[in-house]
Amino acid sequence: MTTSLSPDFLWGGACAAHQFEGGWNAGGKGPSVVDVLTAGANGVPRRITETVDPHEFYPNHEAIDFYGHFREDIKLFAEMGLKCFRTSIAWSRIFPQGDELEPNEEGLKFYDEVFDELLKYGIEPVITLSHFEIPLHLARTYGGFRNRKLVEFFERFARVCFERYNGRVKYWMTFNEINNQMNVDNPIFLWTNSGVTIDEGENPQQVLYQTAHNCLLASAKAVAAGHEINPEFQIGAMVAMVPIYPYSCDPEDIMAAEIAGRDRFFFPDVQIRGYYPAYTFKKFECEGLDPGFQDGDEEILRAGKVDYLGFSYYMSNTVKHDADTDPSKSTSGALRNSVENPYIKVSEWGWGIDPQGLRNSLNTFYNRYQIPLFIVENGFGDVDTVQPDGTIDDPARIDYLRNHIAAVKQAVLEDGVDLIGYTPWGIIDLVSFTTGEMKKRYGMIYVDRDNEGNGTMERRKKASFDWYRTVIATDGAEL
Ligand code: P53
């Protein structure tokens, strides 16, 4: 039996504009929803400030300054042998306020240069349109995606990108981890996904579904526009996949896992099938919710079905029907009835290490949807130490990736899953999303920068750099 993946398999690396670019106000860029996120820490949530407060430290403002280092960084990606590179376009570089009619040429030029540099080395860009980078003005003035006006603004932004980068970018995704916002217990998710905050006295589920409906319309309109501009475009949905296991074979636990899973599947169910699943309509009926359907919305959703499903995978969750957990204290997206899984170890940040869960997820998705899948994030956040001789050994990260790639190979070679590629998260160290730390590192390239913003920004290869280069060079045969 063959032990390698196809030579066309897209091995790559993933980042997101706000977590690595820096240059938060360079080249005419406007502030985004993450530019008002302070630094948190392990177990300490980040705060959202009203505006950019000069007395606060905002780790994303400078991040690792890819904005100023992109040629050097892409050269390193090429040396590693990456076949693709996933990043996002910071919406507020292109439309600084979000509601302008004309885009900011300087912002567009930055991505011209980045994409040309990638293509120079034969690295295929894989682009997310919105990875937590909604212009702050749209959040503060319009209330974010709870307002239907944002559908129009997002479609305009998407069209500008599709037209400008047509011929250079083929793989797109609309919204990053669009299903993360289901977690209304942690306000950071709805804020970063959709620029929405919940006011006192509001029913969070009502706000959530109204927002979700507008995001789904925006995604569908963007997909239809992209296919009209270039029918060859591959435009995907992107969801956070955290498979939910029942704690026991108690049928109550099995059903609790099934119900909790709906929050994960609702968005891709709509984006892939083109219509709402039955369980959501029943939920609206039982809880008196109104997502705000208007005439013509069904057609919009049907006309905007995605071509593939991109997803992130870091960990699994386990639920017990009668457990009572406080999810607002968690930075791992824990659910209300989450419990620890006695069979798996967790990282320092409490994220469960479960490679089998990735094979399991690939099968779940492929069984449910039968469309190509793309693992666009997977990785291990860990503390790295530079040795006195300048080397950085990261055996725990190599181990994590090795075991997860082995599970990926089983899903493809034994289970027959159609998988486009694999892009490990934070291929170069970047700012952690949930905590705002630099200390929680994912990279195979180290960046000299700490939690407080000190450091030279020097780049350095970790041991995982050479390891991953061999994995790619052997099409995954040598792990
Ligand atoms: P950090 C939770 C569960 C799965 C994926 O996270 C998640 C999250 C948090 O929303 O998000 C993705 O940096 C996200 C990236 C993020 C990455 O996880 O907190 O798409 O932006 O950096 C890792 O360790």
Side-chain angles (χ1 to χ4, degrees):
M1 194 177 133
T2 160
T3 59
S4 56
L5 296 181
S6 142
D8 304 330
F9 188 76
L10 288 179
W11 296 99
C15 293
H18 74 277
Q19 285 169 276
F20 85 140
E21 280 180 6
W24 76 283
N25 59 2
K29 179 179 170 294
S32 80
V33 291
V34 284
D35 289 320
V36 294
L37 279 190
T38 63
N42 191 1
V44 183
R46 304 176 75 176
R47 282 176 296 113
I48 304 165
T49 61
E50 187 57 31
T51 51
V52 173
D53 176 345
H55 304 295
E56 294 274 10
F57 172 63
Y58 299 101
N60 298 72
H61 282 194
E62 290 178 6
I64 61 149
D65 192 31
F66 177 76
Y67 194 78
H69 291 72
F70 71 91
R71 290 185 205 282
E72 175 193 343
D73 292 343
I74 291 171
K75 192 162 179 242
L76 285 167
F77 301 161
E79 195 184 324
M80 220 187 295
L82 300 196
K83 296 187 177 176
C84 74
F85 178 60
R86 173 185 179 227
T87 185
S88 60
I89 295 177
W91 185 349
S92 67
R93 265 192 212 293
I94 312 302
F95 288 98
Q97 301 277 314
D99 55 0
E100 300 91 338
L101 293 176
E102 292 305 320
N104 169 33
E105 179 57 27
E106 225 182 316
L108 287 167
K109 274 209 181 97
F110 170 65
Y111 295 104
D112 281 336
E113 290 178 26
V114 170
F115 300 159
D116 288 345
E117 196 69 13
L118 288 166
L119 293 168
K120 182 171 115 185
Y121 296 103
I123 302 174
E124 172 112 43
V126 175
I127 301 304
T128 318
L129 287 168
S130 182
H131 192 132
F132 312 155
E133 291 133 355
I134 298 168
L136 183 63
H137 173 72
L138 297 186
R140 290 289 180 224
T141 312
Y142 294 84
F145 269 99
R146 70 158 76 205
N147 187 332
R148 208 177 155 111
K149 282 291 273 181
L150 265 79
V151 176
E152 186 190 311
F153 300 143
F154 182 74
E155 189 191 349
R156 184 177 306 142
F157 163 59
R159 276 185 183 275
V160 164
C161 296
F162 290 147
E163 267 158 15
R164 177 75 168 221
Y165 307 119
N166 189 4
R168 286 181 281 183
V169 177
K170 174 178 163 200
Y171 288 97
W172 301 89
M173 276 165 277
T174 52
F175 291 93
N176 183 64
E177 292 188 340
I178 188 168
N179 59 346
N180 253 354
Q181 57 195 315
M182 296 307 275
N183 187 345
V184 284
D185 294 301
N186 187 337
I188 194 185
F189 293 120
L190 201 49
W191 175 251
T192 47
N193 271 102
S194 294
V196 172
T197 51
I198 297 174
D199 298 328
E200 281 275 308
E202 283 190 303
N203 175 356
Q205 294 296 315
Q206 171 57 35
V207 178
L208 174 64
Y209 280 99
Q210 182 182 322
T211 301
H213 185 60
N214 291 332
C215 289
L216 288 165
L217 291 173
S219 173
K221 285 202 153 198
V223 172
H227 286 153
E228 172 201 306
I229 291 163
N230 184 345
E232 301 285 300
F233 278 168
Q234 292 296 301
I235 311 173
M238 195 300 191
V239 300
M241 182 48 164
V242 185
I244 299 167
Y245 300 147
Y247 178 72
S248 75
C249 52
D250 178 347
E252 296 280 358
D253 285 345
I254 310 281
M255 203 57 217
E258 163 71 24
I259 291 170
R262 290 177 186 163
D263 278 357
R264 303 265 188 262
F265 292 122
F266 158 57
F267 288 92
D269 279 357
V270 180
Q271 291 174 294
I272 294 167
R273 298 172 178 153
Y275 55 88
Y276 274 53
Y279 59 79
T280 36
F281 287 122
K282 282 294 164 197
K283 185 178 168 102
F284 300 157
E285 212 177 291
C286 296
E287 296 182 25
L289 308 174
D290 176 12
F293 264 90
Q294 292 183 5
D295 283 350
D297 285 2
E298 274 93 357
E299 286 70 36
I300 293 171
L301 296 176
R302 253 201 313 274
K305 287 189 266 183
V306 294
D307 301 303
Y308 69 95
L309 176 60
F311 70 94
S312 65
Y313 176 84
Y314 293 89
M315 61 192 151
S316 54
N317 259 196
T318 301
V319 297
K320 189 165 179 297
H321 72 282
D322 54 357
D324 188 15
T325 316
D326 181 357
S328 64
K329 300 228 159 44
S330 155
T331 48
S332 65
L335 304 166
R336 285 184 188 203
N337 47 4
S338 297
V339 289
E340 258 177 47
N341 182 337
Y343 299 98
I344 60 177
K345 294 203 185 90
V346 295
S347 80
E348 198 180 317
W349 279 265
W351 292 27
I353 303 167
D354 177 13
Q356 276 297 319
L358 180 52
R359 179 176 179 186
N360 184 302
S361 299
L362 285 160
N363 278 282
T364 303
F365 276 146
Y366 202 55
N367 290 341
R368 193 170 179 119
Y369 302 126
Q370 294 95 43
I371 62 169
L373 306 176
F374 199 154
I375 302 166
V376 294
E377 285 182 34
N378 172 235
F380 189 58
D382 200 10
V383 176
D384 289 311
T385 316
V386 185
Q387 298 304 321
D389 67 356
T391 58
I392 303 148
D393 277 331
D394 53 348
R397 181 170 300 108
I398 294 176
D399 216 44
Y400 179 100
L401 294 168
R402 175 187 290 127
N403 294 333
H404 283 75
I405 295 173
V408 168
K409 283 171 61 178
Q410 283 183 299
V412 174
L413 300 173
E414 295 175 37
D415 307 331
V417 168
D418 181 1
L419 185 64
I420 301 170
Y422 174 80
T423 61
W425 175 248
I427 194 84
I428 179 164
D429 288 345
L430 39 63
V431 177
S432 155
F433 166 61
T434 48
T435 69
E437 295 167 299
M438 271 307 298
K439 191 179 141 191
K440 189 183 186 191
R441 295 172 184 273
Y442 287 86
M444 305 186 196
I445 301 165
Y446 183 87
V447 179
D448 181 17
R449 173 122 175 132
D450 69 14
N451 285 352
E452 285 74 42
N454 306 308
T456 62
M457 296 279 192
E458 189 200 343
R459 274 66 170 153
R460 215 176 255 280
K461 295 173 198 168
K462 302 183 195 175
S464 52
F465 184 103
D466 288 325
W467 173 81
Y468 191 46
R469 182 169 49 191
T470 306
V471 173
I472 299 176
T474 61
D475 296 320
E478 214 174 294
L479 296 182

Short mmCIF file of all heavy atoms in Angstrom, two decimals, residues 381-404:
data_model
loop_
_atom_site.label_atom_id
_atom_site.label_comp_id
_atom_site.label_asym_id
_atom_site.label_seq_id
_atom_site.Cartn_x
_atom_site.Cartn_y
_atom_site.Cartn_z
N GLY A 381 0.25 25.04 20.09
CA GLY A 381 0.74 26.25 20.75
C GLY A 381 1.56 25.86 21.96
O GLY A 381 1.06 25.19 22.86
N ASP A 382 2.82 26.30 21.97
CA ASP A 382 3.73 25.87 23.04
C ASP A 382 4.78 26.97 23.29
O ASP A 382 5.00 27.84 22.45
CB ASP A 382 4.42 24.57 22.59
CG ASP A 382 5.00 23.77 23.75
OD1 ASP A 382 4.72 24.11 24.91
OD2 ASP A 382 5.75 22.83 23.48
N VAL A 383 5.44 26.86 24.44
CA VAL A 383 6.52 27.79 24.77
C VAL A 383 7.80 27.28 24.11
O VAL A 383 8.07 26.08 24.19
CB VAL A 383 6.70 27.87 26.30
CG1 VAL A 383 7.88 28.75 26.68
CG2 VAL A 383 5.43 28.36 26.97
N ASP A 384 8.56 28.15 23.46
CA ASP A 384 9.83 27.73 22.86
C ASP A 384 10.98 28.46 23.54
O ASP A 384 10.85 29.62 23.92
CB ASP A 384 9.86 28.08 21.37
CG ASP A 384 8.93 27.20 20.55
OD1 ASP A 384 8.97 25.98 20.72
OD2 ASP A 384 8.15 27.76 19.76
N THR A 385 12.11 27.75 23.66
CA THR A 385 13.28 28.37 24.28
C THR A 385 14.45 28.37 23.30
O THR A 385 14.77 27.33 22.71
CB THR A 385 13.70 27.55 25.54
OG1 THR A 385 12.51 27.26 26.27
CG2 THR A 385 14.66 28.32 26.41
N VAL A 386 15.05 29.54 23.14
CA VAL A 386 16.23 29.63 22.28
C VAL A 386 17.44 29.20 23.12
O VAL A 386 17.69 29.76 24.19
CB VAL A 386 16.44 31.08 21.77
CG1 VAL A 386 17.61 31.15 20.78
CG2 VAL A 386 15.17 31.63 21.13
N GLN A 387 18.15 28.19 22.66
CA GLN A 387 19.33 27.69 23.37
C GLN A 387 20.48 28.68 23.23
O GLN A 387 20.47 29.51 22.31
CB GLN A 387 19.76 26.32 22.78
CG GLN A 387 18.72 25.23 22.91
CD GLN A 387 18.28 24.99 24.35
OE1 GLN A 387 19.08 25.03 25.28
NE2 GLN A 387 16.98 24.81 24.55
N PRO A 388 21.48 28.60 24.13
CA PRO A 388 22.61 29.55 24.04
C PRO A 388 23.27 29.55 22.66
O PRO A 388 23.75 30.57 22.20
CB PRO A 388 23.58 29.05 25.12
CG PRO A 388 22.72 28.27 26.08
CD PRO A 388 21.57 27.72 25.30
N ASP A 389 23.26 28.40 21.98
CA ASP A 389 23.87 28.37 20.64
C ASP A 389 22.90 28.83 19.54
O ASP A 389 23.20 28.73 18.35
CB ASP A 389 24.40 26.96 20.32
CG ASP A 389 23.28 25.92 20.18
OD1 ASP A 389 22.09 26.28 20.40
OD2 ASP A 389 23.56 24.77 19.83
N GLY A 390 21.74 29.31 19.94
CA GLY A 390 20.80 29.88 18.96
C GLY A 390 19.81 28.89 18.39
O GLY A 390 18.89 29.28 17.66
N THR A 391 19.96 27.60 18.69
CA THR A 391 19.02 26.62 18.13
C THR A 391 17.74 26.57 18.96
O THR A 391 17.73 26.94 20.15
CB THR A 391 19.64 25.20 18.09
OG1 THR A 391 20.02 24.84 19.41
CG2 THR A 391 20.85 25.15 17.16
N ILE A 392 16.67 26.10 18.33
CA ILE A 392 15.39 25.95 19.02
C ILE A 392 14.85 24.55 18.73
O ILE A 392 14.52 24.25 17.59
CB ILE A 392 14.36 27.00 18.55
CG1 ILE A 392 14.93 28.41 18.77
CG2 ILE A 392 13.02 26.83 19.27
CD1 ILE A 392 14.46 29.41 17.77
N ASP A 393 14.81 23.74 19.77
CA ASP A 393 14.27 22.39 19.61
C ASP A 393 12.81 22.41 20.01
O ASP A 393 12.48 22.89 21.09
CB ASP A 393 15.01 21.41 20.53
CG ASP A 393 16.30 20.96 19.89
OD1 ASP A 393 16.33 20.94 18.63
OD2 ASP A 393 17.25 20.66 20.61
N ASP A 394 11.97 21.85 19.16
CA ASP A 394 10.54 21.83 19.49
C ASP A 394 9.96 20.43 19.25
O ASP A 394 9.04 20.26 18.44
CB ASP A 394 9.76 22.92 18.74
CG ASP A 394 9.97 22.91 17.23
OD1 ASP A 394 10.88 22.21 16.74
OD2 ASP A 394 9.20 23.61 16.53
N PRO A 395 10.49 19.43 20.00
CA PRO A 395 10.05 18.05 19.77
C PRO A 395 8.55 17.83 20.03
O PRO A 395 7.93 17.01 19.35
CB PRO A 395 10.89 17.22 20.76
CG PRO A 395 11.38 18.19 21.77
CD PRO A 395 11.51 19.51 21.07
N ALA A 396 7.97 18.56 20.97
CA ALA A 396 6.54 18.36 21.26
C ALA A 396 5.70 18.80 20.07
O ALA A 396 4.68 18.17 19.74
CB ALA A 396 6.13 19.14 22.50
N ARG A 397 6.13 19.87 19.40
CA ARG A 397 5.40 20.34 18.21
C ARG A 397 5.54 19.33 17.08
O ARG A 397 4.56 18.98 16.40
CB ARG A 397 5.92 21.72 17.79
CG ARG A 397 5.20 22.29 16.58
CD ARG A 397 5.55 23.75 16.32
NE ARG A 397 5.21 24.59 17.44
CZ ARG A 397 6.10 25.14 18.27
NH1 ARG A 397 7.40 24.95 18.08
NH2 ARG A 397 5.70 25.88 19.28
N ILE A 398 6.75 18.83 16.87
CA ILE A 398 6.98 17.84 15.81
C ILE A 398 6.11 16.60 16.08
O ILE A 398 5.46 16.08 15.18
CB ILE A 398 8.48 17.47 15.71
CG1 ILE A 398 9.28 18.68 15.24
CG2 ILE A 398 8.69 16.27 14.77
CD1 ILE A 398 10.79 18.48 15.20
N ASP A 399 6.09 16.20 17.32
CA ASP A 399 5.30 15.04 17.71
C ASP A 399 3.81 15.25 17.41
O ASP A 399 3.14 14.38 16.85
CB ASP A 399 5.48 14.86 19.22
CG ASP A 399 5.51 13.41 19.59
OD1 ASP A 399 6.18 12.64 18.88
OD2 ASP A 399 4.82 13.06 20.58
N TYR A 400 3.32 16.41 17.79
CA TYR A 400 1.91 16.75 17.55
C TYR A 400 1.62 16.68 16.04
O TYR A 400 0.68 16.04 15.59
CB TYR A 400 1.62 18.16 18.09
CG TYR A 400 0.19 18.63 17.88
CD1 TYR A 400 -0.76 18.57 18.90
CD2 TYR A 400 -0.21 19.15 16.64
CE1 TYR A 400 -2.06 19.00 18.70
CE2 TYR A 400 -1.52 19.58 16.43
CZ TYR A 400 -2.43 19.51 17.46
OH TYR A 400 -3.73 19.94 17.26
N LEU A 401 2.46 17.34 15.25
CA LEU A 401 2.20 17.41 13.81
C LEU A 401 2.36 16.03 13.16
O LEU A 401 1.55 15.65 12.32
CB LEU A 401 3.14 18.43 13.15
CG LEU A 401 2.89 19.89 13.58
CD1 LEU A 401 4.04 20.79 13.13
CD2 LEU A 401 1.56 20.42 13.03
N ARG A 402 3.37 15.29 13.59
CA ARG A 402 3.60 13.95 13.04
C ARG A 402 2.36 13.06 13.25
O ARG A 402 1.88 12.42 12.33
CB ARG A 402 4.81 13.32 13.72
CG ARG A 402 5.06 11.87 13.30
CD ARG A 402 6.18 11.24 14.12
NE ARG A 402 7.48 11.81 13.79
CZ ARG A 402 8.34 12.32 14.68
NH1 ARG A 402 8.04 12.32 15.98
NH2 ARG A 402 9.49 12.80 14.30
N ASN A 403 1.84 13.06 14.47
CA ASN A 403 0.69 12.23 14.78
C ASN A 403 -0.57 12.68 14.05
O ASN A 403 -1.40 11.87 13.64
CB ASN A 403 0.44 12.20 16.29
CG ASN A 403 1.58 11.51 17.02
OD1 ASN A 403 2.26 10.66 16.44
ND2 ASN A 403 1.83 11.89 18.26
N HIS A 404 -0.70 13.99 13.87
CA HIS A 404 -1.88 14.48 13.16
C HIS A 404 -1.77 14.20 11.66
O HIS A 404 -2.76 13.85 11.02
CB HIS A 404 -2.11 15.97 13.45
CG HIS A 404 -2.72 16.21 14.81
ND1 HIS A 404 -1.99 16.09 15.97
CD2 HIS A 404 -3.99 16.49 15.19
CE1 HIS A 404 -2.80 16.30 17.01
NE2 HIS A 404 -4.01 16.56 16.56
#
